Amino acid sequence: MTETAEIMKVNPDIQKERDAATIDMEELAVIIYGKEQLSKKRKLEDAVFNDPDYKCVPSAFLSREEEYEEGLRKSSLAVLKQSKLSDLIEDHKDIMAYNSVLASFGYPSFGLHQTMFIPTLERQCTSEQREKFLPLCYDYRIIGTYAQTELGHGTFLRGLETTAHYDPNTQEFILNSPTISSIKWWPGALGKTSTHAVVLAQLYTLGKCHGIHPFVVQLRSLDDHKPLRGITVGDIGPKMGFGPNDNGYLKLHKHRIPRTNMLMKYSQVSPDGTYTKPPRSTLTYGTMTFVRVLIVHGSAIALAKASTIAIRYSAVRRQSELRPGEPEPQILSYPTQQHKLFPLLATAYAFHFVQLAMMKIYTDVNDQINNSNFSRIQELHALSSGLKAFTSWVTNAGLEVCRMSCGGHGYSQASGFPRLYADFTPSCTYEGENTVLMLQSARYLVKCVRDARSGKTLPGTVSYLSEDVSAVHSGGSSGRDLSNLDFLISLYKQRASNQVHFASDKVDRGISAGMDLVGALNSASVHLVSAAKAHSHYFIAKTFVESLKLLKASSELQNVLHQLASVYVFEGIAQSSGDFIEDYILSGSEAKTIRQLAVDLLPLIRVNAVSLVDAFSFRDEVLQSVLGRYDGNVYENLFKWAQNSPLNKTDVSSRSSIFVKHLTVRCAFLAEHNATMLNTNII
């Protein structure tokens, strides 16, 4: 048999896993994506990955400059080829799916143009501004980014220092970066790629500051791409990940833009400088809320990829015979490996269903905003902030668990983990540092407790804070069905309610002791973060369990998904058992029972583990992982991957003269050292 034929053959261990599965992988894939979207996804992947124009060497073997140039080449190709895919790309959702495919090569050069620049214009432009800017954006005649973060300020938007002073004589805004800390820093595609940016700046008109507002600022000439007068722009240098992306800096000096370049759907500056404020100041931050929803989705995808790599590899890796003379078991058969990976697999599914729910809430609230109903803006902001922080924290830690579960090979770039981790981990800090976001969510929860006490009706996701949840407060009692998910979700609700009320009481006591509200919130911040985590955890667990009840699936698939939901709920309680025991929601023995229930489910999930990750439908080109290959032929391809390293193009380094020089110096040193030792009778 030829080497090629051997590589094409599916590893028997991973094939055995698929043959033994009790679920229909395709049925589950349709549930995850929807039948139409799954078909589009596969056709888009075929169009991209079968196109020779996209072929290149692995990014691990490219320099940073080569990564940037290759990313720009592929992103430009994608735009040119998009028109030929009109039957597959019909709306913004399809464009996002297309970008998801392209992201397999590295973050698309025009990613922020599509996910932040255009959505900001669509949501915050007047009809006249939409006609002016959007056709240019859609045709890629201009490329935009979103410039918010500065050297000295990120999450604290009110602290941004970039200024936009209105000049009524010329009807222009004059933009400046007045301090070193006011230089815009980090926006993707800002350094070399973008021609325009939505710049957030402090608006000054008629001698008064009106806070942060968005402005469309042209950065580069559309003729020769050189920076315009008053614009200093460039790349911020290498980062942990996102090599192809030119995250940049922007320094503004007396740069003038027309008055009509301020986005004026909600707030306006008239020609004479008169300012009209928006109906809600938070409307300016709508783009960030949208991106936080996307990060929840990204968390689900990243954890699903990591689980796929680790579980497939665990199915083909054999290690450490249990008894002398017996075959080495697949490491997926070890309970400790299952306990590392299966709760994370369950979490990936939980995050998938919660991102669907989050996107629906976002769409509903956005529709209400378009109809001048702003009643749920705070709820949306708090929920998206808490879920963004919770899911990205859990995923960030989970990626590392998956990597380490693959042993030494997980450390290789060939595993896919280094890039996956490095590209995902900034999710914990961009679009809001997670601790700060948890505090923002918690402040809203405290407000809800006060509103409930005053008799106000609370919106859906926080309505439980006005309920009496003490009915399930009976830790230590016998006869409670600890395997019943509905009952356990009620315990999650009680835990969240207790944590939120406890933190709220801490704030109230601080105020009673003479603190102002700001000081009291800061003093209680540790408890506030715990409350926001408990609230987010409850929402995710509840959404997961309720989503499964609505699925139309075969009984066997329903049973397996129920096992996953059970593991997620059980393990969540086990990992946070202190919270449940401290508040007497559970007794110590009950917590121990629930922990064992999670362990008992591991061998049941083991039967379908490979099919459960196969259902995510990640092609090998998407995973970019030798360890996570669909065919399971890891070792042959690890060796092949290593042989393709540029260092192996020659048997001796191409800079052999330098190598020989250093070797000669080392030999001379050793000879002199040994002679000295002999002369001193040491050797």
Side-chain angles (χ1 to χ4, degrees):
M1 186 179 292
T2 66
E3 180 181 343
T4 302
E6 287 178 359
I7 291 177
M8 291 301 293
K9 184 179 178 181
V10 176
N11 181 289
D13 280 334
I14 205 165
Q15 187 59 53
K16 181 186 69 175
E17 298 296 326
R18 294 180 176 124
D19 292 341
T22 63
I23 62 171
D24 181 346
M25 183 276 290
E26 187 67 14
E27 180 189 6
L28 182 51
V30 169
I31 286 174
I32 293 172
Y33 294 100
K35 188 172 183 179
E36 182 180 351
Q37 283 303 118
L38 179 62
S39 176
K40 280 188 176 183
K41 173 183 182 296
R42 288 171 173 168
K43 289 176 181 178
L44 284 171
E45 289 174 345
D46 285 340
V48 172
F49 297 130
N50 295 334
D51 187 336
D53 290 342
Y54 287 106
K55 302 299 182 185
C56 74
V57 301
S59 60
F61 300 145
L62 296 176
S63 68
R64 169 107 198 289
E65 187 173 1
E66 288 171 335
E67 275 195 282
Y68 170 71
E69 291 178 356
E70 187 61 23
L72 192 59
R73 181 185 75 83
K74 287 175 180 171
S75 295
S76 300
L77 268 177
V79 171
L80 294 173
K81 293 174 181 288
Q82 184 174 321
S83 60
K84 299 178 182 179
L85 301 170
S86 57
D87 58 324
L88 298 175
I89 303 176
E90 301 173 318
D91 53 27
H92 189 263
K93 186 177 182 180
D94 293 336
I95 291 176
M96 297 296 288
Y98 187 44
N99 285 339
S100 179
V101 176
L102 298 170
S104 305
F105 303 120
Y107 191 82
S109 300
F110 309 141
L112 286 188
H113 176 75
Q114 296 152 337
T115 61
M116 295 194 76
F117 187 69
I118 289 178
T120 299
L121 300 185
E122 289 174 333
R123 291 170 174 81
Q124 301 199 40
C125 278
T126 62
S127 57
E128 294 82 4
Q129 289 175 321
R130 289 172 65 91
E131 292 176 7
K132 174 182 177 182
F133 292 120
L134 287 176
L136 301 174
C137 297
Y138 295 149
D139 294 341
Y140 293 87
R141 284 176 281 169
I142 64 175
I143 305 296
T145 185
Y146 189 84
Q148 172 182 298
T149 302
E150 298 174 354
L151 261 175
H153 290 91
T155 308
F156 180 51
L157 298 188
R158 287 181 288 115
L160 297 180
E161 299 176 85
T162 302
T163 59
H165 286 83
Y166 182 65
D167 181 354
N169 296 319
T170 61
Q171 294 190 29
E172 294 174 312
F173 288 101
I174 307 168
L175 281 86
N176 278 288
S177 304
T179 64
I180 187 69
S181 57
S182 68
I183 295 173
K184 296 296 182 183
W185 198 269
W186 278 114
L190 174 62
K192 296 292 182 182
T193 305
S194 295
T195 61
H196 289 66
V198 169
V199 174
L200 269 69
Q202 301 284 357
L203 166 63
Y204 287 84
T205 179
L206 302 180
K208 185 177 179 181
C209 178
H210 295 283
I212 294 296
H213 286 71
F215 302 84
V216 176
V217 179
Q218 184 173 347
L219 308 173
R220 294 177 177 272
S221 166
L222 299 183
D223 296 322
D224 59 11
H225 204 62
K226 291 183 178 179
L228 301 181
R229 182 180 179 182
I231 299 288
T232 301
V233 64
D235 180 79
I236 64 170
K239 311 165 292 285
M240 278 182 67
F242 286 111
N245 202 300
D246 55 322
N247 297 78
Y249 60 79
L250 169 64
K251 189 175 188 298
L252 298 149
H253 179 66
K254 298 181 180 178
H255 181 68
R256 289 178 173 265
I257 62 172
R259 178 185 67 88
T260 53
N261 277 30
M262 172 183 160
L263 301 187
M264 295 195 190
K265 180 176 181 179
Y266 298 115
S267 55
Q268 298 84 36
V269 172
S270 62
D272 67 0
T274 302
Y275 175 73
T276 302
K277 68 180 182 179
R280 293 287 189 282
S281 60
T282 51
L283 290 171
T284 303
Y285 311 142
T287 301
M288 284 192 305
T289 302
F290 174 66
V291 174
R292 287 168 186 165
V293 174
L294 293 183
I295 291 173
V296 176
H297 171 73
S299 297
I301 294 296
L303 196 52
K305 286 182 176 179
S307 298
T308 300
I309 296 169
I311 287 174
R312 284 181 179 169
Y313 177 66
S314 297
V316 301
R317 176 73 171 184
R318 290 180 172 273
Q319 188 77 35
S320 303
E321 59 184 18
L322 287 176
R323 298 176 184 86
E326 290 185 352
E328 295 180 87
Q330 298 160 276
I331 61 174
L332 192 60
S333 296
Y334 287 108
T336 50
Q337 187 79 343
Q338 296 171 8
H339 192 243
K340 291 175 189 175
L341 298 180
F342 293 171
L344 291 175
L345 173 62
T347 301
Y349 273 91
F351 287 0
H352 165 72
F353 286 107
V354 85
Q355 63 88 16
L356 293 177
M358 187 68 250
M359 184 59 77
K360 185 181 186 306
I361 292 171
Y362 173 82
T363 302
D364 291 345
V365 174
N366 206 52
D367 289 344
Q368 292 174 356
I369 291 172
N370 290 334
N371 292 317
S372 300
N373 179 354
F374 308 109
S375 61
R376 297 186 68 190
I377 287 181
Q378 285 183 305
E379 179 194 9
L380 174 64
H381 171 73
L383 184 62
S384 64
S385 297
L387 290 180
K388 180 268 187 188
F390 189 96
T391 58
S392 61
W393 262 335
V394 170
T395 298
N396 197 58
L399 297 185
E400 183 67 354
V401 171
C402 288
R403 181 191 71 79
M404 289 190 292
S405 74
C406 294
H409 291 323
Y411 188 67
S412 169
Q413 290 277 3
S415 73
F417 284 118
R419 177 181 152 191
L420 183 59
Y421 181 86
D423 285 354
F424 180 80
T425 194
S427 299
C428 296
T429 49
Y430 63 47
E431 301 313 317
E433 192 277 330
N434 280 357
T435 301
V436 176
L437 291 187
M438 281 296 188
L439 288 170
Q440 291 178 6
S441 179
R443 283 195 285 271
Y444 172 72
L445 297 175
V446 169
K447 175 182 177 298
C448 288
V449 170
R450 294 181 174 187
D451 287 346
R453 287 171 179 167
S454 64
K456 294 181 181 179
T457 301
L458 301 183
T461 60
V462 291
S463 59
Y464 72 95
L465 293 175
S466 60
E467 299 174 10
D468 179 8
V469 296
S470 59
V472 297
H473 176 87
S474 53
S477 65
S478 61
R480 302 202 294 178
D481 185 358
L482 298 178
S483 65
N484 183 294
L485 294 188
D486 289 331
F487 172 68
L488 294 182
I489 294 302
S490 72
L491 302 189
Y492 272 84
K493 178 168 69 173
Q494 183 177 0
R495 172 204 179 203
S497 181
N498 288 357
Q499 295 263 354
V500 172
H501 280 87
F502 179 80
S504 180
D505 290 344
K506 280 285 187 181
V507 174
D508 290 342
R509 285 197 290 272
I511 293 173
S512 298
M515 296 181 185
D516 61 6
L517 178 60
V518 173
L521 287 168
N522 186 53
S523 178
S525 59
V526 172
H527 304 293
L528 290 169
V529 169
S530 296
K533 285 181 179 178
H535 171 71
S536 300
H537 202 178
Y538 163 55
F539 182 84
I540 294 169
K542 177 173 178 284
T543 299
F544 191 9
V545 172
E546 290 183 348
S547 296
L548 296 188
K549 294 177 182 178
L550 301 176
L551 289 183
K552 296 179 180 179
S554 63
S555 58
E556 180 58 24
L557 182 55
Q558 283 277 14
N559 180 54
V560 171
L561 289 175
H562 185 270
Q563 291 171 0
L564 280 182
S566 298
V567 165
Y568 181 78
V569 172
F570 295 160
E571 195 66 20
I573 291 175
Q575 294 299 318
S576 303
S577 58
D579 291 346
F580 291 90
I581 294 172
E582 283 178 9
D583 282 345
Y584 302 100
I585 300 171
L586 288 170
S587 67
S589 62
E590 286 178 319
K592 187 178 294 185
T593 297
I594 290 171
R595 189 184 302 275
Q596 186 58 44
L597 287 172
V599 174
D600 291 342
L601 279 174
L602 299 179
L604 300 181
I605 292 173
R606 164 75 171 79
V607 177
N608 291 289
V610 170
S611 290
L612 285 167
V613 296
D614 284 351
F616 291 129
S617 301
F618 296 128
R619 287 175 59 136
D620 287 347
E621 297 94 332
V622 173
L623 280 184
Q624 296 281 301
S625 169
V626 175
L627 303 191
R629 290 176 60 92
Y630 181 83
D631 64 15
N633 292 314
V634 171
Y635 301 134
E636 306 94 318
N637 286 283
L638 266 178
F639 184 50
K640 182 179 178 181
W641 185 90
Q643 288 176 306
N644 288 331
S645 170
L647 280 177
N648 292 325
K649 288 182 178 179
T650 59
D651 290 331
V652 179
S653 171
S654 59
R655 305 181 70 182
S656 57
S657 60
I658 296 177
F659 175 77
V660 171
K661 174 185 175 183
H662 288 301
L663 184 62
T664 303
V665 169
R666 180 175 180 273
C667 290
F669 168 78
L670 288 175
E672 182 180 352
H673 176 74
N674 289 339
T676 302
M677 296 298 100
L678 285 169
N679 292 336
T680 56
N681 294 322
I682 295 178
I683 60 175

